[in-house]
Amino acid sequence: MSISATLRLTIMVLLIIPRLAFAQTTLIKGRVADADGNPIPGAAVAVKGTSSGTSTLPDGTFSLQVSRTDGLVLVISSLGFAEKEVTVGSNTFYNVLLEKSEQSLNAVVVVGYGTQRKRDVTGAVASIPKERLQQLPNTNVAEALQGSVPGLQINTNGGGAEGNDLSILVRGRNSISASNSPLIIWDGIPYTGGISEINPNDVESIEVLKDASAAAIYGSRGSNGVILITSKQGKKGKADITYDGFYSTQTLINKPRLLTGPEFYEFKTTRLNANTNVLSPQEQEVYDAGKWVDWYDLATQQGSKMQHSLSVRGGTDKVSYYVGGTYLDVKGIARNDRFKRYSIRPSLDIKITPWLSMATSTQISFQDRSGLPVEFDDSRNAGGGANFFNPLTAPFNEDGSIAVYAYLDNKQARNPLGNILVKNQDNSYRIFSTNSLKVEIPFVKGLSYKLNTGVEYENVSRKTYYGRNVAVGLEKNGNAINYNSLGRNFTIENILNYSREFGVHSLNITALYSSQSEDFDRDQLEGVDFPNDVLTNYQMNQASLLTPSSTNFKQNLLSQMARINYGYDGRYLLTLTARRDGYSAFGKDKKYGIFPSAAVAWNITEENFMKPVEVLSNLKLRASYGLNGNQAVSSYSSLATMTSAPYISGTTLYPGYIPNKLSNENLGWESTRSFSLGLDFGLLANRIQGTIDLYSARTEDLLLLRSISSVQGITEVLQNIGKTSNKGIEIGITSTNIKSRNFTWNTNANFSSNRNRILDLYGDGKDDVLNGWFINKPIRMIYALQYDGIFRSEEEVAASAQKDAQPGWVRVKDVDGSGTINTASDRTFIGQQDPKFTWGLTNTFRYKEFSLMVFLHGVQGVTKNNPLQSDNVFADTRRNTVKKDWWSPKNPNGTHFSNDANANKLSVQQYENGSFMRLKDVSLAYELPASLKKRLQLNAAKCYVTARNLATVTKYKGLDPELTDQNGIPLQREIVVGLTIGL
């Protein structure tokens, strides 16, 4: 080809390419407005299935360059408006009108024995945010609950692999000695098992019923609140297969700074007024060899957690199904602390005819808790446990095996690592099944009948053998314990429901007749002194001494309930509820109780005079008053019982029995009357939504043990006496701070303040100092001698109420000003053990396919004992302690009392501010773009990294301000990596 021809061809191509490029793109313009024609600025305009898009200008207009228009769909969305899809045709300008969205108000919430639209709810019902269930790698439902809604408090008592050592409170405490735990309803059936045995991956939603009206439908058990857990069910459509798996590593959050070998040597040899300052032969040998031990390091390890979940979900018009299975394996940070859970949940819904349907859902789970964790606390008060064990000892034999006795000069203090050698098998098998049959009565519109049944079955089998390689087994020539228990819970409910709308009137009537029966049977056999350890637990017939024991109980509950929900024009709402419960444990004349309640609500924004107030998208006022009960006593509490008391006649031992509890035929319910006032609001097209609740509750007829004359050989009897009050405020706010085409920022904040106090105890207006109960004081009040620093000079001692003290000793506050310290008159109120308020703050950021969630949790106004500040090392200094800045003449500025056995003669505890703020969760996730998922035929494809317990701000100097047990297994920091795939 000639140069001129080539040049002509090149020029032609250069001219054609721009024309082609211009022909392949189209400029689409438009305007987005609301139903009244007002422009909507900042609305997102996106091309469906791609990442292309733009946002509207202040006048509501937009322009978007697209490469093609065939089959092109624009998705227009804006906060507070319903999303709209527009199919692009031959036009180049589109006027789009968006309708205001009431999705959040029309959202359906579970309220017990049914559901309601959120706008129609009259009681205080809170829903756990979806991101707490979906975005976090929870292995325990409690992890999702903590700090998620106002009024719900999770108290962590201790650490551990299972994470089940906790307590849950809804709106604080009402009872002094009976249970304050809320009732858990799982798929409509009362659940009595551990919360760690519920698989969070199978949970669809969680609601918390907090006030008297919302909880009144559960009558006798609703005074402490109700947690409703709803499992995932099948749905119409093709089968969705989802896999979710993660792996995490766990490390210690805080490690107590215990004395090292040389530090303990100095501490013991210089301790004043001790029984001895001389090291034992073993202590001296270890010290001279330089082989001292860090017991805390030996007792802990890097933990890990692994979970794999697989679920299938789908259905047709007639049948829908869900099947989920999960395997969880946790290795705790305490050595030999393991927890495994295997669970499967099949769920099936069948519409047999247009008027008849049935549903069944069953969780089958196996929990393996085998293995005894290394001991941290000195439970036998003998100098054992990793927190207290002497560092100048030898944990291992010369061959590297774990020593039976690590402290040869104090064999009562057993080797904390000995539990690793104990053969322990601890398995539980649980079935929780809910089954229902629903009939829509064909000839009465709106009338339906539902038969709801539930079965809960748990079998626990434990076999523990202490061989001669551990102290207990060596001392007893082998010790075997075989434990078996069987717990069953059966529920049958007959539910009749009538729901109709008559013009502006809506009516819903629910009637219930239910029966629940629970029984439990436990058998245990302990054997000691075996010929050898070979057959472990399987040689009970060879034991020299067998000790059997057993426990069993049965209790029944019979209930009737009626509820009426009435609404007028969506503005005025009324709920009336009454429930009658009968409980077998109470006295024959007090077995039944009636618990009524009433609630009203006013949707103010539905009024015509509110239409001009555009800033308010929702405003609802709620009020409720009602009576709830508490039945939390054991099955035979009202009956007289006897205990075994064998006696000898001559040389023969005969069985005998003596009374150990008196009967009380008038024993009945604790009853709580409560009033609640709430306000739900939405601002700026629900860009900001929130609730404010005030409540006041008064509990009477408390279930308390009253002291009586010991002339009958019994010193106390359970009675209905005493009164408490409980008041508080709850605030919850969610907001969309920023929403654009590629970026959103949402905030969820909650705050709760609670105050309880004792109004009366025994009817005489007197305090019960022995139990720490005081009139007009909080239920869990600390009443003790007050630590007032230390004496630093002879002059300070001379001017004090402790004339026999010395510089460096503990100074006790002379509360009564008598000039002397008296343990009776100088005790004072130091603080309360329940927090004055709690809060949670969650921020979620989304940028294109990335999302970041940050969760902060705080507890304020709580006082905690710090046992780590104690020097309780025994008279002969056998136990270790935390390193402190001990006062001495050479260290006159020391902050801690002197290393002197007499420095704290009155054993005054040091209480500290236990308030804290914790960075609880930080989760970063990446989701594949929609276009790529479509090409790969995936419904979901997400990877994520989550960090838990990253940082804590607190003045508390103990092990952890969140824990109740400061000497037990500590909490862990966790880093999680996970993957979610949906087909």
Side-chain angles (χ1 to χ4, degrees):
M1 182 180 292
S2 65
I3 295 177
S4 59
T6 302
L7 182 61
R8 285 196 301 272
L9 181 60
T10 302
I11 293 172
M12 186 179 299
V13 169
L14 291 174
L15 290 173
I16 291 173
I17 287 176
R19 292 174 181 268
L20 289 173
F22 180 78
Q24 290 174 348
T25 60
T26 302
L27 182 64
I28 297 176
K29 295 183 178 181
R31 181 176 182 270
V32 180
D34 61 18
D36 297 325
N38 301 312
I40 301 177
V45 182
V47 178
K48 187 174 182 179
T50 73
S51 59
S52 300
T54 188
S55 300
T56 58
L57 299 174
D59 61 356
T61 61
F62 68 90
S63 60
L64 183 65
Q65 198 86 25
V66 296
S67 59
R68 61 178 181 83
T69 59
D70 293 341
L72 191 72
V73 177
L74 299 180
V75 180
I76 297 94
S77 61
S78 181
L79 186 68
F81 294 88
E83 185 178 275
K84 191 170 186 177
E85 294 187 357
V86 176
T87 302
V88 176
S90 57
N91 297 334
T92 57
F93 192 89
Y94 295 86
N95 281 305
V96 182
L97 298 181
L98 296 183
E99 298 290 335
K100 284 191 175 181
S101 171
E102 297 185 346
Q103 180 179 1
S104 61
L105 299 180
N106 289 327
V108 175
V109 295
V110 180
V111 293
Y113 303 113
T115 59
Q116 280 185 299
R117 292 185 305 172
K118 188 176 180 180
R119 65 161 56 245
D120 296 333
V121 173
T122 58
V125 180
S127 298
I128 306 301
K130 291 290 185 183
E131 61 266 21
R132 296 289 300 164
L133 294 170
Q134 298 173 353
Q135 189 161 336
L136 293 175
N138 300 311
T139 59
N140 190 319
V141 171
E143 294 173 337
L145 293 176
Q146 189 172 41
S148 58
V149 296
L152 181 65
Q153 179 185 337
I154 308 291
N155 298 318
T156 305
N157 301 320
E162 184 175 357
N164 201 37
D165 189 6
L166 48 84
S167 59
I168 303 175
L169 296 176
V170 176
R171 289 189 167 179
R173 297 178 190 274
N174 293 313
S175 183
I176 295 178
S177 59
S179 173
N180 285 282
S181 299
L183 174 67
I184 297 178
I185 301 293
W186 188 4
D187 289 340
I189 299 297
Y191 174 73
T192 61
I195 199 166
S196 65
E197 297 177 2
I198 299 176
N199 181 11
N201 279 23
D202 290 334
V203 173
E204 182 71 32
S205 67
I206 301 177
E207 274 78 27
V208 183
L209 312 184
K210 298 186 287 186
D211 70 340
S213 175
I217 52 174
Y218 295 105
S220 65
R221 296 167 291 177
S223 64
N224 297 322
V226 182
I227 297 177
L228 304 178
I229 300 176
T230 303
S231 299
K232 292 177 181 178
Q233 305 295 323
K235 63 178 182 178
K236 181 181 176 181
K238 71 178 186 67
D240 289 340
I241 302 174
T242 303
Y243 165 80
D244 182 83
F246 64 80
Y247 179 84
S248 74
T249 59
Q250 301 176 342
T251 55
L252 286 172
I253 291 179
N254 184 29
K255 175 185 174 183
R257 172 60 170 88
L258 298 170
L259 295 179
T260 64
E263 291 168 343
F264 182 82
Y265 175 89
E266 182 181 1
F267 177 83
K268 182 169 184 175
T269 55
T270 60
R271 186 163 177 79
L272 301 176
N273 294 310
N275 282 359
T276 178
N277 295 110
V278 179
L279 268 65
S280 70
Q282 184 190 28
E283 289 174 329
Q284 189 66 55
E285 180 183 351
V286 172
Y287 179 76
D288 292 340
K291 295 182 179 180
W292 45 83
V293 181
D294 186 333
W295 281 99
Y296 218 86
D297 275 354
L298 290 178
T300 57
Q301 62 186 0
Q302 178 175 291
S304 65
K305 183 185 295 184
M306 176 178 63
Q307 179 170 286
H308 300 282
S309 296
L310 186 66
S311 66
V312 181
R313 192 177 193 180
T316 65
D317 292 331
K318 301 289 186 181
V319 179
S320 61
Y321 59 88
Y322 172 85
V323 180
T326 297
Y327 166 66
L328 171 67
D329 185 359
V330 186
K331 182 178 75 171
I333 56 175
R335 290 187 63 185
N336 213 39
D337 185 19
R338 297 293 295 265
F339 176 68
K340 295 181 181 180
R341 184 183 66 215
Y342 307 78
S343 65
I344 184 169
R345 167 173 282 275
S347 178
L348 187 65
D349 292 87
I350 305 174
K351 193 171 185 63
I352 302 171
T353 70
W355 53 270
L356 179 63
S357 60
M358 64 171 291
T360 180
S361 182
T362 301
Q363 174 167 296
I364 304 170
S365 62
F366 166 67
Q367 286 75 222
D368 185 355
R369 301 177 177 90
S370 298
L372 300 182
V374 168
E375 185 180 3
F376 281 78
D377 201 354
D378 186 11
S379 58
R380 299 176 60 251
N381 198 34
N387 271 310
F388 301 96
F389 215 86
N390 190 327
L392 299 179
T393 50
F396 304 107
N397 298 314
E398 291 184 2
D399 61 0
S401 60
I402 295 174
V404 174
Y405 298 109
Y407 195 173
L408 297 178
D409 305 311
N410 178 27
K411 291 186 177 181
Q412 297 94 329
R414 296 161 180 168
N415 191 336
L417 302 182
N419 280 353
I420 297 174
L421 301 177
V422 177
K423 297 186 182 299
N424 172 258
Q425 176 185 309
D426 186 349
N427 298 325
S428 69
Y429 309 82
R430 177 177 288 274
I431 298 174
F432 187 84
S433 179
T434 61
N435 307 276
S436 65
L437 183 70
K438 186 175 182 179
V439 180
E440 303 280 353
I441 308 300
F443 48 85
V444 181
K445 185 178 180 181
L447 182 63
S448 66
Y449 165 78
K450 184 178 182 180
L451 175 64
N452 198 31
T453 67
V455 176
E456 186 175 2
Y457 173 96
E458 182 180 37
N459 174 239
V460 177
S461 174
R462 298 193 193 110
K463 289 183 171 61
T464 306
Y465 187 79
Y466 299 87
R468 290 166 173 81
N469 55 350
V470 296
V472 176
L474 182 63
E475 293 162 6
K476 296 183 179 181
N477 289 326
N479 182 193
I481 304 173
N482 290 349
Y483 172 100
N484 279 281
S485 69
L486 176 63
R488 302 183 303 172
N489 200 332
F490 303 96
T491 302
I492 298 178
E493 298 176 334
N494 297 274
I495 306 169
L496 198 63
N497 184 266
Y498 179 73
S499 183
R500 287 289 303 275
E501 291 189 1
F502 306 93
V504 295
H505 304 277
S506 63
L507 181 66
N508 181 279
I509 301 175
T510 302
L512 165 80
Y513 185 90
S514 74
S515 173
Q516 183 181 351
S517 178
E518 181 181 1
D519 59 68
F520 177 82
D521 190 67
R522 174 193 67 87
D523 292 299
Q524 178 174 299
L525 182 63
E526 180 175 4
V528 298
D529 195 11
F530 295 96
N532 57 63
D533 296 331
V534 176
L535 295 179
T536 63
N537 293 79
Y538 304 97
Q539 53 177 340
M540 283 297 192
N541 60 332
Q542 299 294 317
S544 296
L545 177 64
L546 290 174
T547 306
S549 63
S550 64
T551 301
N552 60 78
F553 69 80
K554 182 180 176 69
Q555 58 190 33
N556 297 313
L557 187 71
L558 193 65
S559 308
Q560 303 91 40
M561 185 274 294
R563 178 180 62 194
I564 299 174
N565 288 314
Y566 170 76
Y568 175 76
D569 199 24
R571 290 181 288 169
Y572 312 116
L573 307 168
L574 171 69
T575 300
L576 298 174
T577 306
R579 177 159 174 150
R580 179 177 182 263
D581 282 321
Y583 182 43
S584 60
F586 289 134
K588 67 177 184 178
D589 298 324
K590 297 285 186 176
K591 290 190 182 296
Y592 285 90
I594 298 177
F595 306 96
S597 73
V600 294
W602 178 23
N603 277 318
I604 304 174
T605 44
E606 294 297 316
E607 300 288 353
N608 290 329
F609 63 79
M610 291 296 295
K611 299 300 182 185
V613 187
E614 295 184 355
V615 68
L616 276 173
S617 47
N618 175 44
L619 188 64
K620 182 170 71 173
L621 185 64
R622 296 177 280 104
S624 68
Y625 180 82
L627 175 69
N628 297 117
N630 189 349
Q631 66 173 53
V633 293
S634 58
S635 302
Y636 309 111
S637 297
S638 64
L639 302 178
T641 58
M642 307 187 79
T643 187
S644 175
Y647 65 95
I648 298 176
S649 178
T651 58
T652 305
L653 180 67
Y654 293 95
Y657 301 92
I658 59 174
N660 69 337
K661 184 168 70 71
L662 295 179
S663 66
N664 182 0
E665 295 183 352
N666 293 315
L667 189 68
W669 314 87
E670 283 189 354
S671 57
T672 300
R673 288 177 170 82
S674 59
F675 172 76
S676 181
L677 183 66
L679 182 71
D680 301 336
F681 61 89
L683 303 173
L684 305 174
N686 285 336
R687 191 181 188 104
I688 301 174
Q689 300 180 69
T691 62
I692 301 175
D693 282 279
L694 299 169
Y695 63 89
S696 177
R698 182 184 177 99
T699 302
E700 300 179 348
D701 298 328
L702 296 176
L703 293 160
L704 290 176
L705 287 170
R706 183 171 193 166
S707 298
I708 60 174
S709 171
S710 59
V711 66
Q712 303 176 72
I714 298 172
T715 59
E716 56 189 16
V717 62
L718 186 63
Q719 292 184 340
N720 290 109
I721 48 178
K723 301 174 184 178
T724 63
S725 70
N726 187 22
K727 300 178 180 179
I729 182 173
E730 301 165 352
I731 301 173
I733 296 176
T734 60
S735 65
T736 300
N737 308 312
I738 298 175
K739 183 175 182 181
S740 63
R741 181 170 61 90
N742 291 325
F743 179 74
T744 60
W745 170 23
N746 297 320
T747 297
N748 184 313
N750 66 79
F751 169 89
S752 305
S753 177
N754 177 264
R755 300 287 189 275
N756 63 62
R757 65 191 180 101
I758 298 173
L759 300 179
D760 186 33
L761 287 169
Y762 308 116
D764 54 8
K766 295 182 179 179
D767 299 328
D768 186 338
V769 179
L770 184 62
N771 285 308
W773 300 333
F774 303 92
I775 306 298
N776 291 321
K777 294 294 182 181
I779 294 173
R780 300 179 70 219
M781 195 70 184
I782 299 172
Y783 182 70
L785 295 174
Q786 186 169 344
Y787 179 86
D788 196 26
I790 60 176
F791 293 108
R792 297 189 177 276
S793 66
E794 295 285 357
E795 292 75 18
E796 287 187 7
V797 172
S800 74
Q802 297 165 256
K803 307 300 183 184
D804 60 345
Q806 297 179 13
W809 285 19
V810 169
R811 176 163 49 198
V812 183
K813 189 169 184 178
D814 184 13
V815 174
D816 65 356
S818 63
T820 59
I821 300 301
N822 186 289
T823 55
S825 59
D826 283 316
R827 281 183 291 178
T828 186
F829 298 105
I830 295 176
Q832 63 183 63
Q833 299 178 67
D834 288 323
K836 293 181 178 178
F837 63 89
T838 61
W839 58 271
L841 178 66
T842 302
N843 282 288
T844 305
F845 308 90
R846 300 183 188 277
Y847 177 72
K848 293 186 176 180
E849 285 76 31
F850 289 92
S851 65
L852 174 67
M853 188 177 78
V854 180
F855 171 51
L856 289 166
H857 172 56
V859 170
Q860 305 294 325
V862 60
T863 302
K864 299 179 79 75
N865 176 28
N866 182 1
L868 301 187
Q869 290 298 315
S870 170
D871 283 340
N872 185 14
V873 295
F874 296 160
D876 52 358
T877 319
R878 281 179 285 141
R879 295 208 309 187
N880 201 359
T881 187
V882 173
K883 181 176 175 60
K884 307 175 185 74
D885 183 20
W886 286 283
W887 183 96
S888 70
K890 295 182 180 179
N891 183 28
N893 295 321
T895 57
H896 193 269
F897 53 84
S898 60
N899 181 18
D900 187 334
N902 293 333
N904 191 9
K905 281 185 175 181
L906 297 176
S907 300
V908 179
Q909 300 296 314
Q910 295 190 42
Y911 294 92
E912 300 174 0
N913 183 355
S915 304
F916 68 90
M917 178 182 70
R918 173 158 282 167
L919 182 56
K920 198 71 176 178
D921 293 299
V922 177
S923 183
L924 177 64
Y926 173 76
E927 179 93 19
L928 284 183
S931 57
L932 183 56
K933 287 190 291 186
K934 185 176 181 180
R935 285 205 300 268
L936 297 174
Q937 297 184 339
L938 296 175
N939 292 328
K942 181 179 73 173
C943 59
Y944 55 87
V945 178
T946 299
R948 294 199 133 144
N949 297 327
L950 272 181
T952 304
V953 178
T954 183
K955 294 181 179 179
Y956 185 68
K957 299 176 183 178
L959 181 65
D960 195 291
E962 190 173 342
L963 294 178
T964 302
D965 183 3
Q966 298 298 314
N967 290 320
I969 297 176
L971 281 183
Q972 68 274 358
R973 182 177 291 112
E974 190 172 10
I975 304 296
V976 187
V977 179
L979 176 68
T980 302
I981 298 292
L983 303 177

